[in-house]
Amino acid sequence: MVKDNFDRSGGILPPKEFLYKSRKIYDFIFNVFPLVDKQLEVYADIARHIPDKMLSKQALDSIATKKFHCQGGSVYALYPHTDVDKMIKFIVAYQTISDYLDNLCDRSGIFDETAFRNLHMAMTDALLADERYSDYYRYYPYSQDGGYLRYLVKECKSIVNLIPAYEVIKDKILYLAGIYSDLQVYKHLAHDIREDKLIKWSAMHIGSSYPNLNWWEFAAASGSTLGIFVLVACAFDTNLRAETAQGIYDAYFPWICGLHILLDYYIDLYDDAENGDLNFVSYYNDNQDCEKHLKRFYTASLNAVAHLKETSFHRMVVDGLLAMYLSDPKASAYDHLKYTQEIINTSENYARLLYRICKLIRRRGSL
């Protein structure tokens, strides 16, 4: 069990930190969200003109149903010293690739490992500064996308080429993109082989590096793009040092990335059970065990960012993840209600405040 050593003393944020976070949240909702919507509409317009109707449908569906992924990730456009416009362009393009490929693997009735792996080469190509574009649809039965996927990859490359400290983060973001792609490939295989593939793959990575993780926790952490986004954001600092980037990486993987995706699976638990879909949270012994481990990841995330330079920002992200996911109506369905309330009630006061804000935003239909 990770020891809880972060401070909740007094229950009230210092005025300076409260003001800092309040300004960030205001900018996030009222300035960043509209820019995300604007860029997504550009991609949706391109997707409407994709020649292949199946690919067009999946591209449009991924934008319509997973917009909140781009909204959530775009918080890193507010990272100190980064470039807001460039970060929004990168985050929305990269997350749109991720969501589109997820639909192609999940909604087409195809279970071809080679096809999935080739599609996900886009996730790595998008992080390389050169003009490398793989044949993404080579083994996939549909390919006439009118250049849509290549366009998204090029959008990312255009920003990668402008990142001052790119070489400091390159190996780290490529590793994260690699394990993300592996996860997507294996988890979308046929039901009778996917679990065995995932267990063997996770074991290869866990080794002595993450001895306290279950295989499904490593897999979950691999499914988050937040580690890539934060590293790209901090690399706009021309003075970024390797040890600074390493500290951020260690905080995000596996802890913040793991919290992110475990919460995502938590709210989808009952839907996935009904549809027979893979859900990593289902591997915990019971709901109480799940609650314990979600708290563990939350606590470990706060502990991990306590020593980072931009602690207030990272703590805001951690609390924001809790608030955003647990404010979803699905987090209060069936047996979830009791455990969701317990997690919220034992979280930091700022997380509880954000939870109430997210509830209000959801009622307005903006999240």
Side-chain angles (χ1 to χ4, degrees):
M1 182 67 180
V2 177
K3 183 181 179 182
D4 176 349
N5 62 14
F6 54 89
D7 182 25
R8 294 196 188 93
S9 60
I12 300 174
L13 285 175
K16 185 177 180 181
E17 184 173 358
F18 182 81
L19 184 61
Y20 169 86
K21 290 183 176 180
S22 297
R23 285 174 175 167
K24 290 292 185 185
I25 295 299
Y26 180 90
D27 286 343
F28 185 40
I29 296 170
F30 294 104
N31 296 327
V32 171
F33 274 20
L35 294 175
V36 171
D37 289 344
K38 184 177 179 180
Q39 188 165 340
L40 282 174
E41 186 49 47
V42 171
Y43 297 153
D45 188 56
I46 297 171
R48 291 184 193 101
H49 295 90
I50 291 176
D52 188 290
K53 297 303 179 185
M54 195 285 284
L55 295 180
S56 178
K57 180 181 187 307
Q58 297 304 334
L60 288 169
D61 285 353
S62 72
I63 292 172
T65 63
K66 299 176 181 178
K67 180 174 79 169
F68 75 96
H69 290 164
C70 291
Q71 289 176 321
S74 65
V75 71
Y76 293 101
L78 299 175
Y79 192 79
H81 312 301
T82 196
D83 185 302
V84 175
D85 292 334
K86 290 183 177 66
M87 277 305 301
I88 290 175
K89 182 177 180 180
F90 174 81
I91 289 164
V92 177
Y94 198 76
Q95 191 61 51
T96 299
I97 294 172
S98 167
D99 293 337
Y100 172 57
L101 296 184
D102 186 56
N103 273 30
L104 293 189
C105 296
D106 196 37
R107 309 285 176 84
S108 61
I110 297 165
F111 303 97
D112 188 325
E113 181 174 339
T114 305
F116 294 164
R117 194 162 293 286
N118 251 60
L119 283 172
H120 279 86
M121 290 175 75
M123 298 293 290
T124 300
D125 286 356
L127 302 178
L128 295 171
D130 59 29
E131 285 298 307
R132 187 180 316 177
Y133 298 93
S134 304
D135 186 359
Y136 307 121
Y137 297 100
R138 183 176 180 183
Y139 301 102
Y140 198 73
Y142 308 92
S143 61
Q144 301 304 308
D145 77 346
Y148 177 70
L149 184 52
R150 183 185 171 111
Y151 177 79
L152 292 172
V153 172
K154 190 170 185 177
E155 288 274 272
C156 295
K157 285 180 178 289
S158 71
I159 303 303
V160 168
N161 273 289
L162 302 175
I163 300 173
Y166 172 68
E167 289 299 326
V168 179
I169 66 164
K170 180 180 177 181
D171 290 347
K172 292 177 176 57
I173 60 176
L174 288 176
Y175 174 77
L176 292 174
I179 59 174
Y180 174 90
S181 299
D182 287 342
L183 170 70
Q184 291 297 104
V185 169
Y186 295 136
K187 83 172 200 176
H188 287 113
L189 296 178
H191 292 197
D192 59 337
I193 64 171
R194 65 187 181 187
E195 182 178 298
D196 186 55
K197 288 261 190 179
L198 284 166
I199 292 172
K200 290 179 179 176
W201 164 74
S202 297
M204 286 184 347
H205 287 275
I206 291 173
S208 59
S209 300
Y210 308 104
N212 296 319
L213 293 187
N214 295 304
W215 72 264
W216 62 88
E217 292 172 333
F218 176 86
S222 301
S224 175
T225 49
L226 297 188
I228 293 172
F229 295 156
V230 70
L231 287 168
V232 170
C234 73
F236 274 91
D237 180 358
T238 55
N239 298 314
L240 179 69
R241 297 166 61 89
E243 52 266 38
T244 301
Q246 186 65 49
I248 293 170
Y249 175 90
D250 290 340
Y252 275 77
F253 194 87
W255 301 117
I256 298 175
C257 290
L259 177 68
H260 172 207
I261 302 302
L262 287 172
L263 285 168
D264 193 42
Y265 276 106
Y266 174 74
I267 67 171
D268 285 338
L269 179 63
Y270 294 108
D271 286 348
D272 288 344
E274 187 176 325
N275 297 323
D277 293 334
L278 182 74
N279 188 297
F280 292 132
V281 162
S282 69
Y283 287 95
Y284 289 118
N285 295 327
D286 50 35
N287 288 329
Q288 191 170 6
D289 190 42
C290 174
E291 176 201 327
K292 181 182 76 173
H293 282 84
L294 286 175
K295 287 179 178 178
R296 174 189 178 226
F297 269 81
Y298 175 67
T299 299
S301 295
L302 289 175
N303 286 341
V305 302
H307 308 293
L308 299 183
K309 182 179 178 182
E310 305 295 346
T311 298
S312 293
F313 181 91
H314 298 297
R315 285 168 67 96
M316 179 184 70
V317 169
V318 174
D319 287 334
L321 285 171
L322 213 66
M324 184 175 73
Y325 280 100
L326 297 186
S327 65
D328 190 296
K330 292 185 289 187
S332 297
Y334 306 107
D335 290 341
H336 271 346
L337 179 60
K338 171 186 175 183
Y339 298 99
T340 294
Q341 285 302 315
E342 177 61 24
I343 295 169
I344 286 294
N345 290 340
T346 56
S347 66
E348 286 202 310
N349 288 312
Y350 194 72
R352 298 200 292 275
L353 173 62
L354 288 181
Y355 172 76
R356 291 192 290 272
I357 292 172
C358 286
K359 283 279 195 182
L360 291 172
I361 295 173
R362 287 186 186 279
R363 290 192 191 108
R364 289 176 48 189
S366 300
L367 186 62

